[in-house]
Amino acid sequence: MSKFSHISDVHLGSLNRRLREINVQSFVNALETSKNENVDFIIISGDLFDNPYPDISSIRKAIKKMKELRETGISIYAIPGSHDYSINNSSIFDLLESAGLFENVFKYKIENEKITLRPTINKKCNAYIYGISARKRGLEEDYFRLLNGYENADGFRIFVFHSAITELARTTKYFGTEIPVSLVPRDMDYYAGGHIHKKIVKEYDHMKFFYPGPLFGADLTDLEDFARGSERGFFIVEFDSKILNYKFIKNDRYIPLLMNIDVDGVDSLSAYKKVIDEVENFNVKDKIVLLKIWGELISGKTTDINKIKIRDKLMNMGALDVEISFNVTVRKTEKYYNFELTNEEISKNVFRENLSKMKFEREFLDGDKGVSLAMDLKAILSRDQGENEKKDDYIKRIRDDVFKRLGIENDN
């Protein structure tokens, strides 16, 4: 009996700094678990990296772990995913393959403008591994359409690909280029899929497809799905001449905490207080927090909901990281746009509403008195400069009138 791990869509180098570290650690953990499970080899079915040229410092730990496994005799077989792909073969994927950290199993020969897949052979396990590389924007469909079968083999056959199969994608939220199942090579013992960010084990037309989905997530949509219950992890498969057993190793160490806070129908300051009060009800220690704030405010400014202070509060409560999704608007108050009101009445309404949100120690700034003062100051500040009046004289006149209305003695 032999054993292998099937990992996909790791997207090393994605996300912000803290989440990037967690994603790398999830990959390192998967490799360490594979080692402890005594697997003979590891298959990575595309998108090991999030882009062809990631920041090396952010993935150094993952590279070191792959090197360690290779040195212990565990082979790693991979294909480039759509994010790994580089048209000039100069990506980090190509570099690490050249360095011997893993082997690209997309091998073929061309005869009469048709492609015949050639196997990468693991002699110890009598495993024959075939693959088709992904390309940007799903252009690998050309490879599938040019496919003229594969070199046969008397052993356990694995087909590695990084594409959505049309008949399987219908059951997911996947939207993109798909490959019809009719183009997929038949009579393989294991179909190692990638690209769909969801765990799938499904048999179709006598072919059993395995998609592990991401180990952690490539973006906030992935992380929200993770928080909502989508499983994250990888497969370990036991086989001889056929599949004997398989299991899914879950990554349940970094499940994000999703918070939804509705601020609809309140003013901005009340909304901010509501957010602060509600986050205090959660245990966020050592959690990745995905905070979604949404709704339509009846008044105020969206900036009154201070996202920086909210994030700082959650971090001080022990969160590993905080990502805030902010979808808040301010309702247009109809009375401001009532054409039956005069400009003066509109101004009074605006001042009255805004002054009602403030607290004043002095009585003359509050209520109707405050509105009257604001209207008088508005009138003073709206006065035009006289025709023959010098600018300095104009400024002094306006300043004197403002001081007089405020009851302030002007020494100048």
Side-chain angles (χ1 to χ4, degrees), residues 224 228 258-262 290-294 325:
E224 186 172 330
R228 293 184 186 279
L258 179 62
M259 299 182 188
N260 267 299
I261 301 182
D262 174 8
L290 307 178
L291 174 57
K292 302 184 75 173
I293 306 171
W294 59 275
S325 173

Side-chain angles (χ1 to χ4, degrees), residues 10 24 64 90 121 158 180 233 269 293 303 354 357 375 382:
V10 184
V24 169
K64 181 179 178 182
S90 63
I121 305 171
I158 301 172
L269 297 180
I293 306 171
T303 52
N354 284 280
K357 301 172 192 173
M375 290 295 293
S382 300

Side-chain angles (χ1 to χ4, degrees), residues 31 41-42 44 66 69-70 74-78 101-103:
L31 296 184
F41 58 89
I42 295 170
I44 301 175
M66 284 190 284
L69 260 67
R70 289 287 290 180
I74 299 175
S75 300
I76 301 176
Y77 304 115
L101 261 67
F102 51 77
E103 189 169 356

Side-chain angles (χ1 to χ4, degrees), residues 86-334:
S86 168
I87 194 168
N88 56 5
N89 297 322
S90 63
S91 69
I92 184 67
F93 184 96
D94 299 302
L95 176 65
L96 296 183
E97 182 201 1
S98 299
L101 261 67
F102 51 77
E103 189 169 356
N104 185 350
V105 297
F106 181 32
K107 299 174 183 177
Y108 58 91
K109 62 181 181 181
I110 301 176
E111 292 179 342
N112 299 321
E113 298 184 343
K114 288 288 187 178
I115 291 175
T116 300
L117 296 180
R118 305 181 67 180
T120 298
I121 305 171
N122 185 298
K123 294 181 179 179
K124 174 186 173 185
C125 304
N126 195 31
Y128 290 73
I129 307 163
Y130 306 84
I132 289 185
S133 168
R135 296 168 66 188
K136 293 293 186 185
R137 297 181 293 279
L139 293 177
E140 70 272 10
E141 183 177 354
D142 293 342
Y143 293 143
F144 281 89
R145 294 198 178 279
L146 293 171
L147 197 58
N148 189 36
Y150 55 91
E151 293 181 354
N152 213 339
D154 185 20
F156 186 80
R157 294 183 294 271
I158 301 172
F159 177 58
V160 188
F161 62 102
H162 189 82
S163 306
I165 302 301
T166 301
E167 289 75 7
L168 303 181
R170 292 169 183 164
T171 64
T172 73
K173 294 180 180 178
Y174 175 80
F175 298 99
T177 304
E178 301 166 2
I179 304 298
V181 73
S182 59
L183 298 181
V184 178
R186 303 189 67 83
D187 299 321
M188 296 288 178
D189 298 298
Y190 186 91
Y191 289 86
H195 194 46
I196 296 178
H197 285 205
K198 180 181 180 180
K199 173 195 164 192
I200 297 175
V201 179
K202 191 173 181 65
E203 188 167 343
Y204 191 90
D205 198 16
H206 307 292
M207 294 180 279
K208 196 162 188 176
F209 295 92
F210 293 81
Y211 286 86
L215 283 174
F216 178 63
D219 54 33
L220 294 182
T221 299
D222 279 347
L223 296 186
E224 186 172 330
D225 287 344
F226 193 8
R228 293 184 186 279
S230 290
E231 292 181 312
R232 296 289 185 254
F234 65 101
F235 292 111
I236 291 183
V237 182
E238 296 175 350
F239 70 97
D240 48 25
S241 60
K242 63 180 180 180
I243 297 174
L244 298 175
N245 187 35
Y246 65 87
K247 60 183 176 180
F248 188 73
I249 307 298
K250 293 183 181 180
N251 174 16
D252 52 11
R253 184 173 177 182
Y254 301 111
I255 300 176
L257 173 63
L258 179 62
M259 299 182 188
N260 267 299
I261 301 182
D262 174 8
V263 296
D264 198 58
V266 298
D267 63 75
S268 58
L269 297 180
S270 298
Y272 177 61
K273 184 178 185 303
K274 181 179 182 181
V275 173
I276 292 297
D277 289 344
E278 289 199 19
V279 299
E280 289 179 347
N281 295 325
F282 289 88
N283 177 16
V284 301
K285 185 171 176 56
D286 298 327
K287 296 280 189 180
I288 300 163
V289 177
L290 307 178
L291 174 57
K292 302 184 75 173
I293 306 171
W294 59 275
E296 184 182 60
L297 305 175
I298 59 172
S299 62
K301 299 178 294 184
T302 57
T303 52
D304 290 336
I305 305 174
N306 193 316
K307 295 190 288 294
I308 294 175
K309 288 186 177 180
I310 293 168
R311 186 183 190 282
D312 288 346
K313 181 175 182 62
L314 286 164
M315 293 299 291
N316 289 335
M317 290 169 62
L320 281 178
D321 192 58
V322 179
E323 296 293 330
I324 299 177
S325 173
F326 193 77
N327 185 18
V328 179
T329 58
V330 181
R331 183 183 307 168
K332 291 182 178 180
T333 307
E334 291 184 2

Side-chain angles (χ1 to χ4, degrees), residues 341-405:
L341 297 178
T342 65
N343 288 337
E344 183 176 358
E345 289 171 326
I346 291 173
S347 295
K348 284 183 177 180
N349 287 339
V350 172
F351 286 135
R352 184 173 288 107
E353 179 168 334
N354 284 280
L355 288 170
S356 68
K357 301 172 192 173
M358 305 176 187
K359 293 183 179 180
F360 300 104
E361 293 182 3
R362 300 189 180 186
E363 185 180 345
F364 73 89
L365 295 174
D366 207 1
D368 289 339
K369 291 182 179 180
V371 172
S372 177
L373 174 61
M375 290 295 293
D376 289 347
L377 292 175
K378 176 177 177 293
I380 294 171
L381 295 171
S382 300
R383 292 173 184 168
D384 294 329
Q385 184 176 349
E387 186 176 348
N388 297 315
E389 188 176 23
K390 294 181 180 178
K391 182 178 179 181
D392 289 344
D393 293 337
Y394 167 67
I395 293 173
K396 182 177 184 303
R397 173 168 64 85
I398 296 298
R399 185 178 61 227
D400 290 345
D401 288 347
V402 167
F403 284 161
K404 182 177 179 181
R405 178 62 184 88

Side-chain angles (χ1 to χ4, degrees), residues 17-57:
R17 184 190 63 81
R18 184 67 185 104
L19 295 180
R20 188 180 306 138
E21 291 171 358
I22 293 172
N23 191 31
V24 169
Q25 188 59 50
S26 295
F27 179 62
V28 169
N29 292 347
L31 296 184
E32 184 65 24
T33 299
S34 298
K35 177 183 173 183
N36 294 338
E37 288 273 349
N38 297 312
V39 303
D40 296 287
F41 58 89
I42 295 170
I43 287 175
I44 301 175
S45 52
D47 281 356
L48 176 57
F49 302 100
D50 193 58
N51 68 74
Y53 313 103
D55 175 23
I56 295 296
S57 64

